[in-house]
Amino acid sequence: MCTVIVKTGQPLTLMGVRDEFADRPWEGPGEHWPEHPGVVGGRDLKAGGTWLAVDPARRRAAALLNGHGRPAAEATKISRGDLPLLAVAANDLPDVDLTYYDPFHLLLADPRRVRLFSWDGERLSASEVPDGTSMIVNTGLNPEHERVAAFRPRFESTADWRELIAAAPSSDPAALIIRHELPDGRVFASLSVTLVTLAAEGVTYEFTDLTADSGRIGSKA
């Protein structure tokens, strides 16, 4: 996942845009993990994890972004896709050896609190996400990033965030929905968007498959 937008308040609103190689297999949201009953998310079929996990019963969501820094050793590397699943269960950064993971940013949210954990391969940082509307990209909470500068004001002023994912994909560094055709013929693009609200009285979950001819939207309460 390459962009997460979060707005604090009642309800807390979270949107995650997943950017990935188009040929990497995945499936849409469901309760795919028997060891994490009730947890909903899309599943990466290559490694088995997820980029965004929601636990409706606990009113929690966790979103994962790739980070920058020192990669883990190939011989012992573990997929980062298990981190959102573990985080919504623990309500904290999972108690794992981070040296097995490539750099990441992990956002953990409930109706009262939003935290961001960032691992660069050598150091871990943790911070409270400020009140209001924030955007997290692969460089973290970075207001100078082109995408953040272009879109955070729009998310702040737009009541219906769905409008902002309707634009055609672009290779512009400031674009929210992207598509890059690489020299080797592969395509790196925005594949899906997840929109979640978390409130004391319940959770809403909407999923848009950007690879479909017309986006499939499903919801869970």
Side-chain angles (χ1 to χ4, degrees):
M1 181 171 295
C2 283
T3 310
V4 172
I5 308 96
V6 60
K7 180 181 179 181
T8 60
Q10 294 297 323
L12 182 140
T13 305
L14 184 152
M15 176 180 277
V17 181
R18 184 187 185 222
D19 300 341
E20 183 54 88
F21 285 104
D23 59 358
R24 184 171 177 128
W26 61 281
E27 62 182 333
E31 297 180 21
H32 298 297
W33 303 275
E35 66 274 26
H36 298 285
V39 175
V40 176
R43 180 167 62 168
D44 172 40
L45 295 177
K46 182 175 180 180
T50 189
W51 52 95
L52 196 155
V54 179
D55 189 330
R58 293 186 171 105
R59 312 285 195 264
R60 292 178 198 151
L64 179 74
L65 299 90
N66 295 347
H68 294 165
R70 179 178 179 178
E74 287 294 332
T76 57
K77 184 182 298 188
I78 297 173
S79 169
R80 292 166 288 195
D82 64 347
L83 294 171
L85 300 167
L86 296 170
V88 292
N91 195 27
D92 206 343
L93 181 70
D95 184 15
V96 294
D97 186 341
L98 295 179
T99 62
Y100 292 148
Y101 295 88
D102 280 342
F104 63 82
H105 303 286
L106 180 67
L107 185 91
L108 179 59
D110 64 36
R112 299 173 303 277
R113 188 182 188 192
V114 187
R115 287 170 285 169
L116 182 65
F117 303 97
S118 297
W119 167 249
D120 68 1
E122 299 178 281
R123 293 171 297 277
L124 173 69
S125 64
S127 61
E128 299 281 339
V129 174
D131 289 341
T133 301
S134 298
M135 288 183 69
I136 300 95
V137 291
N138 294 127
T139 51
L141 273 168
N142 179 3
E144 297 181 0
H145 190 280
E146 299 101 318
R147 186 179 305 143
V148 178
F151 275 92
R152 189 166 70 89
R154 299 176 66 182
F155 278 100
E156 287 178 322
S157 61
T158 303
D160 187 354
W161 287 4
R162 298 171 187 85
E163 299 174 1
L164 299 179
I165 65 169
S170 170
S171 60
D172 188 327
L176 180 66
I177 305 301
I178 67 164
R179 179 181 174 86
H180 297 284
E181 297 185 7
L182 306 180
D184 62 2
R186 299 180 75 191
V187 173
F188 187 81
S190 300
L191 304 184
S192 65
V193 179
T194 306
L195 177 63
V196 178
T197 67
L198 306 175
E201 61 272 17
V203 172
T204 68
Y205 182 109
E206 298 182 13
F207 182 83
T208 303
D209 179 355
L210 298 177
T211 69
D213 290 338
S214 59
R216 298 194 307 267
I217 300 178
S219 64
K220 290 182 179 288

